[in-house]
Each structure stands twice: as structure tokens, then as C-alpha cells.
Amino acid sequence: MAKMHAGEAEIDADLVRRLVEGQFPQWAGMSIEPLVSGGTVNALYRLGDGLTVRLPLTGAGVKDLERERRWLPRLAPMLPVTIPTVVALGEPGAGYPWAWSVHRWIDGETPVEGALAEPEVLTRDLGTFVRVLRRLGFEGGPVAYRGVPLATVDVYTREAIEELRRTDEPFDADAAMAAWEESLAVPPWKNAPCWVHSDLMPSNLLVAGGRLTAVLDFATLGVGDPACDLIPAWNLLPASCRDAFRETVDVDDATWARGRGWALSMAVVQLPYYRGTNPVISANARHVIGQVLGG
């Protein structure tokens, strides 16, 4: 598979082994296995039975390490599911140019849109997580990556829709543009900023027995408009559970409409960028477009 980004580092198990042995000799000799992931920012490797190594694919992902190191320990006791624990931060070395991290391993499977064993249960769990996170009272949080007004991504979204129009994707560009403009017309968030994850893609969730067991990758964590955390209503949960999710997260009509806009924007931007390099993200983007345009 081709690389996803320009300037992406060459990363393999041998590099991970050299980094670990050189900086954390207590873990030398542990097994190292690449993890299949729909992620786009980090390469992931399982280290032994209890650890995960995360290496940014590009320099843009390095700033996220400090955000997680600072905030994850404060958030963990307050949230209803497990979130990552940073065990160690590594330094550049062995030919790898950036900082990297080691997290505690968390058991569970990544859910897949259209193939949920217990969608009603997962709907309640996800909605509860979003609501609890939104109501945290911590001050001083950074601006969330997608906690900004929807109009901030207007240009990129329109450009992506036009780019998709020129592809062979089975895609109604006019309907997508109309749906996008409908979301843009909704009043922006005017209340106090809320805590949001802002990247609740299926690849950032773990489930077991139909229940949500963990939420991963808090690189985009921060405060802002809570609409961006409504995206699971279109990127994962079936339409039959959408009303229950909305009831659990407890949002007004305008916030719900902006959430739909965020789901659409993310999908139309992701699809042309990743359709030749990341089949997991591409498949999810197609699913989201279908869900949004289908109602």
C-alpha cells in the first residue's frame, strides 16, 4: 500500500525494536507485532502482551504527544470507559526523527460500520461517553481540532466535493453540496466551550461483547463546539439508533445539524485523500456519505 502522506517516515518492526532496546532496555526482547489500523497519524505496534508503541508517521503528529501526556491522566478518573495510559515517551533515535510514545495495551475489538453485534447497547455507551466528556469542568483546555465553527472548513469541504465529482465514486455531488449548505445555515455554537474528543471514528473505539470498552487517540482533544462529537450517529451507528443516540447525548436541533455537517465534511475530505492508501477510512467515508444523503 502506498504511503498516506508526503514526508511519511519509514517504520517497521526492526526500527521499533531498535528504539525500544536503545531507550527502554527493560522491555528488550519482548515481541513486536504491527497492528492493522485505520489510523492516519501513527504507526502502531504491540509490544509484548501489555504495551502499545505509537510512532507519528509525520512530524505533524508529534505535538499530539504532549497533549495526551498532559490531559489523559486528568480525564481518566472522570470518564465511564477506559482511555489510554501513557507509560513512556521516547526520543528520536535509530534513524527515526521524532518523539514517540508507549501506551498501556487495552483489550477490545474495533467496531465496523454496518456490522455491530449490539448496536442499541453501543449507542447508549457512546452517547454516555460523549455527554460525560462534554460536561467536565476542567479549565484551561486547548481548542479542540474540530471544536471550531463549521464555517472554518467550508472551503476545504467544497473543494473536496468538487474533487469527488471528477472521480468514479458513485457520488451525488449536488446532493452533498446541498446538505453541506444546509448545515452551514444553522446558527453556530454560542455557549461556553465544552470538552470534546473531536475524532470519534470507529478506529478510535474498542468494543467487547457489544459494549464500548475504550476510547482511543485523544490527539484532537480540547474544548469547543460539542457538535463534532456527534459523528458516530453517521459513521458507525445504524440509522435505527440515531434518535436514541441523540437523546442520550442530549443536544438541541442546531447542534445535531452541525454534527451532521461535521460527519459529511470529514467524509468528503477523507475519501479523495485516502481512497488509494487507506481502505478502512475510505470505506467509512463512503458509508457516511450514504448515511447523510440518505437521511
Side-chain angles (χ1 to χ4, degrees), residues 141-160:
V143 175
Y145 180 58
R146 296 186 179 96
V148 296
L150 200 59
T152 305
V153 295
D154 183 35
V155 171
Y156 307 109
T157 303
R158 292 177 186 275
E159 289 177 347

Side-chain angles (χ1 to χ4, degrees), residues 204-223:
N204 288 332
L205 308 174
L206 293 178
V207 299
R211 302 298 303 267
L212 180 68
T213 58
V215 176
L216 310 176
D217 198 345
F218 283 70
T220 56
L221 172 78
V223 297

Side-chain angles (χ1 to χ4, degrees), residues 37-42 54 64 67-68 126 129-130 133 144-147 195-206 214-222 225-232 235-236 262-263 265-267 270 274 281 284:
S37 168
T40 62
V41 177
N42 296 286
R54 300 169 75 244
D64 304 334
R67 183 175 302 206
E68 290 193 325
L126 262 174
F129 170 83
V130 170
L133 177 61
Y145 180 58
R146 296 186 179 96
W195 279 94
V196 290
H197 180 281
S198 83
D199 195 23
L200 291 177
M201 296 288 290
S203 56
N204 288 332
L205 308 174
L206 293 178
V215 176
L216 310 176
D217 198 345
F218 283 70
T220 56
L221 172 78
D225 179 357
C228 59
D229 272 359
L230 303 179
I231 60 174
N235 73 20
L236 178 61
W262 273 114
S265 175
M266 290 173 65
Q270 289 167 344
Y274 290 112
I281 292 291
N284 188 260

Side-chain angles (χ1 to χ4, degrees), residues 58 66 152 171 212 224 238 268:
T58 70
E66 175 57 27
T152 305
F171 172 77
L212 180 68
V268 298

Side-chain angles (χ1 to χ4, degrees), residues 110-119 122-123 202 232-242 280 283-288 291:
T110 302
V112 178
E113 63 278 3
L116 301 179
E118 300 284 348
L122 183 57
T123 294
W234 296 273
N235 73 20
L236 178 61
L237 302 174
S240 60
C241 291
R242 209 163 281 154
V280 174
N284 188 260
R286 295 185 185 100
H287 174 82
V288 170
Q291 291 293 304

Side-chain angles (χ1 to χ4, degrees), residues 39-50:
T40 62
V41 177
N42 296 286
L44 304 177
Y45 288 79
R46 186 168 185 176
L47 177 61
D49 293 330

